[in-house]
Amino acid sequence: MFLRYTTRKKNGKEHRYYSLVENKRVAGGHVVQRHALYLGEINDCQQEAWRKTIEIFEAGQCRPRTVALFPEDRIGAVDDPEIVRIRLRELSLHRPRQWGDCWLTGQLWEQVKLDQFWAARLPPSRKGTRWDQVLQTLVTYRLLDPGSEWRLYRHWFEHSAMADLLGADLRLADIHKLYECHEPLLKHKKDLCTHLTAQWKDLFNARFEVLLYDLTSTYFESDPPFPAGDKRRYGYSRDKRSDCVQGVIALIVTPEGFPLAYEVLAGNTSDKTTLTDFLKRIEEQYGQAQRIWVMDRGLPTEAVLEQMRAAQPPVQYLVGTPRGRLTQYEKRLAEVPWQVARQGVSVKLLADGQELYVLAESKDRVNKERAMRRRQLKGLWQRLGELKQMKLKRDELLKKLGAALHEYPVGARLVHARVAEQEATLSFTLRQDKLRQARKREGKYLLRSHITSGRSAEELWPFYIQLTEVEAAFKNLKDDLALRPIYHQLEHRIEAHIFISFLAYCLQVTLRRRLRDLAPGLTPRSVLEKFGTMQMLDVHLPTTDERTVVLSRYTQPGTDVQLLLQRLKLELPPQPPPKITSGKLPGTTPL
């Protein structure tokens, strides 16, 4: 096993992308290479750590040893009742089911002590139903193979090893229990966030001084009218589904991606009205502290920012501003020298009253926005030239012109196009003033801050860039964890569904943070997929006295999974003990 890299040039810079490759000997003495793990772009220290791990792993690899099996015809007449004779010729394999990823999820569940948290809050029912295990099953399903509760009941649970890992049976995934488990969850949301925050501090020394705040929406394929106060409402849809009712999800995460709190709001909630309640909630739950709130433009109003500045102690913030505000400060900023925040990024700082304005310019962003602008302008100019040559009626020409301007919105701001009043003739010219202004502002964005601790430009600019962590959280919730479609009709169960998705995201974040230290370059999804190759099977060994010895065995991990176990400092549990039936198992079909 060794490291191999491929190179790629991007924006004039060479990037190296690493993979773990294993040599496999095949027939004829030939050797083929098998791609084991994709690590992505890693630094020199991480590369050296992987090389040392490969050396240690290969040096300490266990060698297989041969054992002897004695079938019934090789054992003489023995009167000892504790000896069972096996009919090896009738050995059969049954019920393959996914085991490795379910086991890894259970390890994450225990590492953040969710087993203890929920055992104290979801006690067993009078009939013995372990509600904490039902919830663990729902969260594991949401993380590994998300879908509806009906699919979990009909298919997934039986094809997973959750029953083996939890010491339960099919009754744990009864469809009624899956729905009933949603009922008591929401009242524990505040306690859960406090518990997770404490665990992440202990495990990773996580810090919560910088909070990233943003909102998204999710839609429901259900039809109004709804009861009064229902959160499903029509509103601005970030998913471009204005035809569906929706709910708004507000989320607070740290720059490392740890979620601190979330809230489900009505679908018609205005972004500007949400921040005040969250400020109060975080202060009540976690106490007063010197926190820095990082937000995108459009979330705080001027009144809310004034309240944050007037608070005692003042609430520190860093928020984006519309590019139009650059016009107001352009002359003053021109007199301020640039400071290098990092390679390819320069910033300017301008104090204005109680606030500090930060103008940032990224060379990579300049190249990206310039390429987008050129592509849009070239496409629009070509389309307008085509329309000018067409012989159309005036109304039809206006429709096609509107469609072209809608298709190229960036270029539309730089071109002045008009159709004559009396005849269907199109004329268009380039707006030189707008083009000069666009070129001057490409790759630049203006931030405003009320950070009173005297931080440098090198510290302020990365805070705002970390807003991508919130966007990544929303992307994982919607895509990887399949937050939608939502299969529930009752409002409280919809919120419980989002709660379960939030729990699954917390496990994903925990795994990602572990990988950052122990196996850099890997993503949580790739690791879960690797562990998913480990299955559990039931080995049936018939005996001479018409009984059956059942051995539930998980498959041995491949070299790539063994390497991951070594890097993540995990040990596989012992194989389950054998069971022996009182007679032939009914209805069994071997593989």
Side-chain angles (χ1 to χ4, degrees):
M1 188 173 285
F2 58 93
L3 281 177
R4 184 173 65 191
Y5 68 85
T6 58
T7 59
R8 178 188 173 195
K9 282 195 173 182
K10 183 178 179 183
N11 296 329
K13 183 179 178 182
E14 186 179 272
H15 298 263
R16 290 188 176 187
Y17 301 93
Y18 286 84
S19 297
L20 275 174
V21 180
E22 181 184 14
N23 283 335
K24 286 278 190 180
R25 189 168 296 279
V26 295
H30 299 289
V31 175
V32 298
Q33 293 182 348
R34 185 181 76 90
H35 180 277
L37 291 172
Y38 175 72
L39 303 177
E41 197 170 13
I42 57 178
N43 59 38
D44 293 341
C45 295
Q46 294 167 344
Q47 174 190 344
E48 188 61 29
W50 276 109
R51 292 189 188 279
K52 290 180 179 178
T53 302
I54 293 171
E55 293 173 4
I56 296 171
F57 172 75
E58 291 184 338
Q61 191 172 12
C62 297
R63 302 298 180 191
R65 61 189 181 87
T66 305
V67 297
L69 297 176
F70 297 96
E72 55 175 328
D73 57 356
R74 297 288 300 276
I75 303 178
V78 180
D79 296 330
D80 191 343
E82 295 185 359
I83 294 180
V84 178
R85 305 188 207 184
I86 303 296
R87 293 174 175 167
L88 286 180
R89 295 187 186 88
E90 298 180 22
L91 179 148
S92 57
L93 305 177
H94 300 257
R95 288 190 61 224
R97 50 204 184 272
Q98 64 184 94
W99 182 87
D101 48 0
C102 295
W103 173 78
L104 179 59
T105 304
Q107 295 296 298
L108 297 172
W109 185 268
E110 293 176 5
Q111 284 174 6
V112 290
K113 298 183 179 179
L114 287 174
D115 52 340
Q116 301 175 21
F117 177 86
W118 288 113
R121 288 163 178 79
L122 298 178
S125 68
R126 289 180 297 174
K127 295 183 179 180
T129 301
R130 288 284 304 273
W131 294 111
D132 57 331
Q133 292 186 352
V134 177
L135 176 60
Q136 183 177 350
T137 302
L138 284 165
V139 174
T140 303
Y141 173 61
R142 179 60 43 188
L143 178 62
L144 301 181
D145 190 15
S148 67
E149 280 75 7
W150 180 251
R151 178 172 170 269
L152 189 159
Y153 160 68
R154 288 293 301 272
H155 174 79
W156 185 82
F157 188 82
E158 191 173 1
H159 291 81
S160 75
M162 289 302 296
D164 305 87
L165 292 167
L166 298 177
D169 53 32
L170 284 173
R171 289 175 294 180
L172 190 69
D174 178 76
I175 187 62
H176 301 291
K177 293 177 182 176
L178 296 177
Y179 282 122
E180 287 175 26
C181 187
H182 288 68
E183 308 294 332
L185 298 181
L186 295 177
K187 62 184 179 182
H188 302 298
K189 183 169 67 173
K190 182 177 178 180
D191 291 341
L192 173 69
C193 293
T194 304
H195 170 82
L196 289 172
T197 301
Q199 293 304 312
W200 287 324
K201 283 181 179 178
D202 292 341
L203 289 171
F204 310 114
N205 195 25
R207 304 180 65 182
F208 299 90
E209 288 83 9
V210 179
L211 304 182
L212 314 176
Y213 177 66
D214 206 352
L215 300 101
T216 190
S217 59
T218 184
Y219 59 88
F220 315 100
E221 296 180 357
S222 54
D223 299 320
F226 300 113
D230 196 291
K231 294 180 180 179
R232 286 170 290 181
R233 290 286 182 266
Y234 288 107
Y236 168 67
S237 175
R238 295 162 177 82
D239 304 305
K240 297 182 173 30
R241 288 300 304 269
S242 56
D243 58 316
C244 295
V245 292
Q246 65 172 14
V248 172
I249 302 175
L251 180 65
I252 299 175
V253 302
T254 69
E256 291 184 302
F258 294 118
L260 195 65
Y262 84 97
E263 190 59 61
V264 181
L265 309 169
N268 57 357
T269 302
S270 173
D271 294 355
K272 299 178 180 180
T273 63
T274 61
L275 183 57
T276 304
D277 291 339
F278 262 91
L279 290 170
K280 181 187 289 187
R281 237 176 91 199
I282 294 299
E283 186 175 311
E284 290 175 352
Q285 186 168 353
Y286 299 103
Q288 289 187 347
Q290 289 293 323
R291 301 186 184 93
I292 300 174
W293 288 75
V294 184
M295 299 161 283
D296 211 345
R297 61 180 184 268
L299 287 176
T301 62
E302 290 294 333
V304 172
L305 292 179
E306 179 61 35
Q307 291 176 9
M308 295 173 76
R309 291 192 294 268
Q312 292 299 327
V315 180
Q316 303 182 73
Y317 60 81
L318 181 68
V319 60
T321 64
R323 289 193 177 182
R325 191 176 283 262
L326 266 173
T327 306
Q328 181 179 349
Y329 294 94
E330 210 157 20
K331 291 183 179 179
R332 296 173 61 185
L333 285 167
E335 302 172 358
V336 180
W338 288 102
Q339 303 178 38
V340 178
R342 71 172 194 185
Q343 184 179 2
V345 178
S346 302
V347 297
K348 291 184 177 185
L349 301 182
L350 176 65
D352 183 45
Q354 293 181 300
E355 291 187 307
L356 180 69
Y357 283 84
V358 184
L359 177 65
E361 181 185 58
S362 167
K363 289 184 179 179
D364 289 340
R365 189 71 183 178
V366 169
N367 295 333
K368 180 180 179 179
E369 291 186 8
R370 187 161 293 170
M372 290 170 57
R373 187 252 305 161
R374 287 174 175 171
R375 185 169 59 250
Q376 285 258 321
L377 187 55
K378 182 179 179 180
L380 178 60
W381 199 264
Q382 182 178 350
R383 180 56 178 162
L384 293 178
E386 294 173 355
L387 293 178
K388 188 174 182 179
Q389 300 299 323
M390 293 181 182
K391 296 181 179 180
L392 302 169
K393 294 182 179 180
R394 188 173 185 276
D395 289 346
E396 190 174 352
L397 179 60
L398 286 171
K399 289 180 181 179
K400 290 186 177 293
L401 175 61
L405 296 176
H406 180 75
E407 184 178 357
Y408 301 99
V410 176
R413 292 193 288 268
L414 307 176
V415 174
H416 178 68
R418 64 182 297 273
V419 178
E421 292 289 340
Q422 302 299 328
E423 49 188 45
T425 57
L426 173 66
S427 61
F428 53 94
T429 57
L430 186 64
R431 303 177 67 176
Q432 298 286 351
D433 57 335
K434 293 291 184 182
L435 179 60
R436 283 193 294 270
Q437 186 183 65
R439 284 180 57 85
K440 188 184 296 185
R441 294 181 176 179
E442 283 170 347
K444 296 184 178 70
Y445 39 91
L446 184 65
L447 314 175
R448 58 191 296 195
S449 170
H450 182 60
I451 297 178
T452 58
S453 56
R455 293 181 182 265
S456 64
E458 291 82 355
E459 294 176 287
L460 289 175
W461 176 79
F463 286 161
Y464 187 72
I465 296 303
Q466 289 164 345
L467 269 178
T468 54
E469 285 295 333
V470 189
E471 298 170 2
F474 289 144
K475 187 177 186 300
N476 283 332
L477 282 169
K478 290 184 175 183
D479 297 339
D480 196 24
L481 302 179
L483 178 65
R484 59 171 187 261
I486 294 177
Y487 299 96
H488 302 280
Q489 297 297 320
L490 301 178
E491 182 187 6
H492 68 280
R493 284 189 179 168
I494 289 174
E495 290 200 49
H497 167 86
I498 297 174
F499 181 87
I500 291 171
S501 301
F502 175 78
L503 260 176
Y505 174 69
C506 291
L507 294 183
Q508 187 186 68
V509 169
T510 304
L511 177 57
R512 184 176 68 180
R513 183 60 181 80
R514 279 211 171 278
L515 293 174
R516 197 188 80 175
D517 293 338
L518 303 175
L522 295 178
T523 64
R525 182 53 55 194
S526 65
V527 171
L528 289 171
E529 288 174 354
K530 284 294 181 182
F531 274 87
T533 59
M534 294 182 64
Q535 290 195 322
M536 175 167 276
L537 303 112
D538 290 340
V539 182
H540 286 196
L541 297 168
T543 66
T544 55
D545 57 358
E546 300 302 325
R547 291 185 294 173
T548 303
V549 176
V550 180
L551 301 173
S552 295
R553 291 291 181 265
Y554 57 78
T555 57
Q556 290 302 306
T559 52
D560 47 0
V561 179
Q562 290 182 47
L563 182 61
L564 285 174
L565 287 167
Q566 197 276 338
R567 289 293 294 168
L568 294 175
K569 301 178 181 179
L570 295 174
E571 291 186 7
L572 294 175
Q575 297 279 11
K579 295 178 286 187
I580 188 165
T581 66
S582 57
K584 186 177 180 181
L585 291 175
T588 55
T589 304
L591 291 179

